Amino acid sequence: MNTIANQIADFLKVYAPFKYLTYEELSNIASTIRVLNLEVNTTLFQVEETLHDCFYVVASGLVNLSVIVDAEETILNKCHEGALFGLRPFFAKNNYTMTAKAREESIVYAIPIAVFRPFVANNTEVLNFMLENFAVNTHNSKDKESMHNNQISDTVYYTGQTSEMQYFQTLSYNNQPIIVSPFSLVQDVAQLMAESKNTSAIICKNNLPVGIVTDKDFSSKIATGRVAISAMVDKIMVAPVLTVLENISLAEAQLLMLKNGVTHLCVTKDGSDQSVVKGVISEHDLVVAQANNPGVLIKEIKRSQTALELKQIRLRMADLILTSIQKNIPLTHLTNIASEINFALLKRAIELSILDIGSAPTRFAWFSIGSQGRKEQLLFTDQDSILVFEDVVPEKYRETKDYFLNLAQKTTSILETVGYPLCPNGHMASTILWCKSLSDWIKQYTNWIHTPGENSKDLSSIFFDYEIVFGEQKMEDALNDTIFKNGDKNTLFYDFLGNDALRKNTPLTFFKNFHVEEEGPNKDKFDIKTRALMPLIDGARLFAISHGIRGINNTYMRFKQLAIKDPKHAEVYLECAEAFLFLSKLRTLEGVKNDTSGQYINLEELSKIDKEKLKNALAPMRDLEHLIKDTFQLTQFS
């Protein structure tokens, strides 16, 4: 191997996705790479240009990817050293949709696609990385409103949850495919495809798929004159057709297409060619699904310049959650993903507010409280937040607090536009009570803990479920220290929290029937939030604080941690954890189905089995209630 190829391999091994390959594999690839020296303003490819047989990596310099919007060049991405671009030939067949131009003297490596394709097909990490890069650089590239004056930050890549999600993330696809017989005329099939704007047709015999024809077959076999347009479609079809199950994940579909060199997959009832056709998945469907990947959504959030842009991303998150829930993706996984996206939206709202009103006069932290603070928010619920700012000299206090109230009001207004309703109880950082200095917050929590009965009007247990969204970590550490120091062996505090947890109305009557609403718009419905979820949330919080469990706010995770911390009662905690998951999923499904918060369950719509499952999920609450009474020696309500 020559010295130049060695140097190229050494360069590439530092960057994704090449770092996922062995040095031997890299060396083989490097020996086929062309080195391009680009002068300033040299165009490598442009909009509508025919696709190249290679993709590119910046070795040095800067290459801009851009489109023309309203007669104005808009930068999509700036590609610095190590950045990939020009991936379209891998994942799409139509011409380039953007222009790549050197903004300074640059060296670019051109990597032949034919050489690199096998490494993509056989290495999931390489595939995930390249698809995400492609989706990020292409999504909404022709959307004038979202692109106009929207300078996009330098290339950023996401790891962790993003790749994992692709194994769960399901696909939306054409569930009304064109189905024809092997004896149909090519001309008739072509007309059907053109009229319905489909890129494929499935050929079936006795209602079972035997082949597929795509627009590629028409261009390569009919347009070239190899087969007459009057021939029957079985003369140009590809057989057998590759069949898959309905619930195939994004990553699985990507790998199958690449490994088999196909552009379409036939969806059948049992995943084989011996069952009826349910739909067709195309390459385009993969690109659309990839654009809703959590990592891509988070990157788009960071680029967003307006509340309306953030709102569109939040709606796409809702679609992601809906399809994931319907496909039985684990709820714990979904809440993690939703929380990351929610927190990114909240953080960007704060950043946009700061850009509007100017830098903060001192350091601060914004906290989500309640369901957001517990990272349990899947459905659209209202805002709950507090703001803590660093202590300042007395003469600066009023001015400093005014700034942060202004910041909070702008932020909550943006979040309301995005789709987070204002908290009806006023538990928001934009309220004068919940925007304070660190010293004031320490006094507030100390008072709540030592004299809870006297301050019960102000004390809401959601203030003990918080997660930092933006700002200084030391603020969260200070609040934790205050709570656990003052809460240690504080009988009065645990008496108050314990009785508060027990005060919730029981979910079942003496005769094991559901307690339902007796009047109002939700008459005869079951309040799953107040009667089932809240007692579990309150119990988990109470025991977590009393056992000194820091940094875990999520109810499910609190119960799991309690089972480790207090093995004597592990069975109760673990049953409560599973009950919480089941009840949360039931509430989410109700909310998604009716576009509500899911708080009230229509029992008439539940099957007999589901009703029994619901009753079984409520059973551990009785054991939790007894454990609270025994542990904290509670005999009556405060």
Side-chain angles (χ1 to χ4, degrees):
M1 182 175 164
N2 63 45
T3 309
I4 294 176
N6 269 320
Q7 290 172 353
I8 293 173
D10 288 337
F11 172 84
L12 292 177
K13 72 181 181 183
V14 178
Y15 299 100
F18 309 104
K19 66 182 182 182
Y20 304 128
L21 305 178
T22 66
Y23 192 77
E24 184 183 354
E25 289 170 334
L26 270 182
S27 299
N28 293 334
I29 293 164
S31 65
T32 68
I33 287 174
R34 288 182 292 126
V35 180
L36 309 178
N37 292 288
L38 306 181
E39 304 267 335
V40 179
N41 293 329
T42 300
T43 298
L44 196 55
F45 56 77
Q46 56 191 355
V47 176
E48 295 303 336
E49 186 176 322
T50 305
L51 300 178
H52 297 182
D53 61 358
C54 57
F55 69 101
Y56 302 98
V57 179
V58 179
S60 65
L62 174 66
V63 176
N64 280 357
L65 305 179
S66 63
V67 292
I68 302 297
V69 179
D70 298 337
E72 203 178 284
E73 184 182 43
T74 300
I75 305 299
L76 287 177
N77 224 331
K78 297 177 182 180
C79 299
H80 295 276
E81 184 178 299
L84 272 70
F85 65 99
L87 295 176
R88 192 165 195 81
F90 265 110
F91 306 113
K93 302 304 174 192
N94 50 328
N95 297 344
Y96 287 112
T97 59
M98 64 186 72
T99 295
K101 184 185 287 187
R103 275 306 178 199
E104 54 188 63
E105 283 189 20
S106 305
I107 297 174
V108 171
Y109 296 148
I111 304 177
I113 284 170
V115 173
F116 200 73
R117 189 181 293 277
F119 298 104
V120 179
N122 297 317
N123 190 312
T124 308
E125 286 178 306
V126 174
L127 171 66
N128 285 341
F129 180 89
M130 294 183 74
L131 263 151
E132 184 173 325
N133 182 286
F134 174 60
V136 168
N137 280 336
T138 57
H139 184 66
N140 277 348
S141 61
K142 292 185 177 179
D143 184 341
K144 291 186 180 182
E145 284 188 23
S146 69
M147 292 309 306
H148 187 58
N149 291 330
N150 187 4
Q151 193 80 359
I152 292 170
S153 60
D154 294 347
T155 306
V156 176
Y157 302 115
Y158 290 90
T159 56
Q161 298 268 20
T162 303
S163 298
E164 185 187 348
M165 185 62 189
Q166 294 188 47
Y167 291 98
F168 294 106
Q169 192 175 342
T170 51
L171 289 158
S172 294
Y173 53 82
N174 178 10
N175 55 16
Q176 292 183 312
I178 295 173
I179 296 176
V180 297
S181 82
F183 311 111
S184 301
L185 298 181
V186 167
Q187 185 173 4
D188 294 339
V189 177
Q191 192 168 346
L192 274 174
M193 285 170 60
E195 286 172 356
S196 61
K197 296 182 179 178
N198 272 306
T199 57
S200 66
I202 300 293
I203 292 84
C204 285
K205 193 173 182 180
N206 299 323
N207 289 324
L208 300 177
V210 293
I212 186 170
V213 61
T214 69
D215 45 10
K216 182 181 175 183
D217 297 311
F218 283 96
S219 59
S220 64
K221 297 170 186 175
I222 302 299
T224 57
R226 286 167 54 197
V227 179
I229 198 165
S230 57
M232 286 186 285
V233 76
D234 64 348
K235 296 293 187 293
I236 66 166
M237 75 179 184
V238 175
V241 61
L242 204 58
T243 54
V244 296
L245 278 166
E246 287 182 83
N247 62 351
I248 187 170
S249 73
L250 171 59
E252 289 167 329
Q254 291 160 355
L255 284 169
L256 274 173
M257 282 191 189
L258 279 164
K259 282 182 175 177
N260 293 280
V262 298
T263 57
H264 293 73
L265 301 172
C266 176
V267 180
T268 63
K269 190 171 183 179
D270 69 3
S272 77
D273 59 6
Q274 295 302 304
S275 64
V276 295
V277 175
K278 304 289 284 185
V280 175
I281 298 169
S282 69
E283 281 184 317
H284 176 71
D285 297 326
L286 301 193
V287 174
V288 170
Q290 185 62 32
N292 281 336
N293 178 283
V296 175
L297 292 182
I298 289 172
K299 182 166 185 179
E300 288 188 25
I301 289 166
K302 293 188 175 186
R303 297 172 174 174
S304 297
Q305 300 296 318
T306 67
L308 290 176
E309 287 176 30
L310 293 175
K311 181 179 182 179
Q312 290 306 311
I313 296 169
R314 188 159 197 243
L315 291 173
R316 283 163 59 198
M317 179 185 80
D319 291 339
L320 175 66
I321 289 169
L322 172 59
T323 55
S324 301
I325 282 279
Q326 290 170 340
K327 296 294 183 180
N328 290 319
I329 290 171
L331 199 70
T332 50
H333 184 88
L334 265 185
T335 51
N336 285 337
I337 294 293
S339 296
E340 290 302 315
I341 298 172
N342 267 320
F343 273 50
L345 286 164
L346 299 176
K347 187 175 182 181
R348 189 58 183 158
I350 298 165
E351 289 171 344
L352 292 176
S353 299
I354 291 172
L355 286 171
D356 185 23
I357 68 173
S359 299
T362 188
R363 288 177 288 192
F364 74 100
W366 181 291
F367 294 87
S368 276
I369 60 174
S371 61
Q372 278 184 354
R374 294 190 301 272
K375 293 189 173 180
E376 292 167 0
Q377 190 185 60
L378 280 175
L379 299 166
F380 290 2
T381 58
D382 54 12
Q383 299 180 44
D384 292 295
S385 59
I386 63 173
L387 190 147
V388 185
F389 57 86
E390 199 169 43
D391 290 323
V392 294
V393 293
E395 54 268 26
K396 289 281 187 183
Y397 184 87
R398 180 66 184 270
E399 178 188 335
T400 303
K401 182 158 182 168
D402 285 347
Y403 168 88
F404 286 114
L405 279 171
N406 187 20
L407 171 68
Q409 283 156 7
K410 285 190 178 295
T411 301
T412 51
S413 176
I414 289 173
L415 292 173
E416 188 178 19
T417 302
V418 173
Y420 299 92
L422 300 176
C423 174
N425 298 316
H427 293 150
M428 295 179 296
S430 54
T431 306
I432 197 164
L433 270 176
W434 314 128
C435 174
K436 310 183 189 199
S437 70
L438 181 57
S439 290
D440 285 346
W441 272 113
I442 288 172
K443 286 176 191 170
Q444 178 73 78
Y445 275 98
T446 303
N447 287 337
W448 275 335
I449 293 168
H450 286 291
T451 55
E454 294 173 25
N455 295 281
S456 57
K457 286 182 180 177
D458 290 342
L459 174 55
S460 172
S461 52
I462 65 169
F463 286 99
F464 291 87
D465 297 335
Y466 52 76
E467 184 77 23
I468 190 166
V469 174
F470 186 99
E472 297 291 313
Q473 179 61 45
K474 69 174 187 178
M475 305 284 190
E476 184 174 19
D477 295 339
L479 294 188
N480 284 339
D481 289 343
T482 301
I483 290 169
F484 287 101
K485 180 183 171 185
N486 287 285
D488 188 34
K489 298 174 184 171
N490 188 320
T491 308
L492 184 63
F493 179 54
Y494 294 124
D495 180 76
F496 182 86
L497 287 184
N499 278 312
D500 190 49
L502 296 173
R503 195 176 285 111
K504 304 290 190 296
N505 293 323
T506 54
L508 298 175
T509 67
F510 180 78
F511 296 104
K512 303 297 182 188
N513 294 319
F514 292 102
H515 263 304
V516 295
E517 299 302 291
E518 295 179 356
E519 54 187 25
N522 297 298
K523 188 175 184 294
D524 296 329
K525 290 184 180 179
F526 178 65
D527 184 349
I528 195 170
K529 177 186 175 182
T530 307
R531 294 183 184 272
L533 286 165
M534 288 311 299
L536 291 171
I537 291 165
D538 290 342
R541 180 194 305 111
L542 168 63
F543 282 113
I545 295 174
S546 69
H547 282 284
I549 296 173
R550 295 187 180 215
I552 299 176
N553 299 328
N554 180 269
T555 301
Y556 175 78
M557 293 308 297
R558 275 174 167 168
F559 279 128
K560 298 287 276 189
Q561 191 65 31
L562 284 164
I564 297 168
K565 196 94 171 178
D566 181 16
K568 184 182 173 184
H569 302 107
E571 190 177 347
V572 175
Y573 296 133
L574 292 174
E575 286 179 354
C576 286
E578 293 308 312
F580 180 78
L581 281 189
F582 174 81
L583 295 166
S584 297
K585 184 173 182 179
L586 191 60
R587 180 187 176 184
T588 303
L589 285 169
E590 183 75 16
V592 165
K593 184 173 65 177
N594 300 306
D595 195 24
T596 64
S597 69
Q599 180 170 348
Y600 296 96
I601 304 291
N602 188 341
L603 296 172
E604 296 300 317
E605 293 178 0
L606 291 185
S607 66
K608 187 176 180 181
I609 293 173
D610 284 338
K611 282 182 186 175
E612 283 306 308
K613 283 183 180 177
L614 177 54
K615 281 185 181 178
N616 290 337
L618 300 174
M621 291 170 58
R622 174 84 45 173
D623 295 329
L624 183 66
E625 182 181 322
H626 289 314
L627 187 57
I628 291 171
K629 287 179 179 176
D630 293 344
T631 304
F632 302 103
Q633 298 180 333
L634 304 177
T635 54
Q636 59 184 13
F637 293 153
S638 298

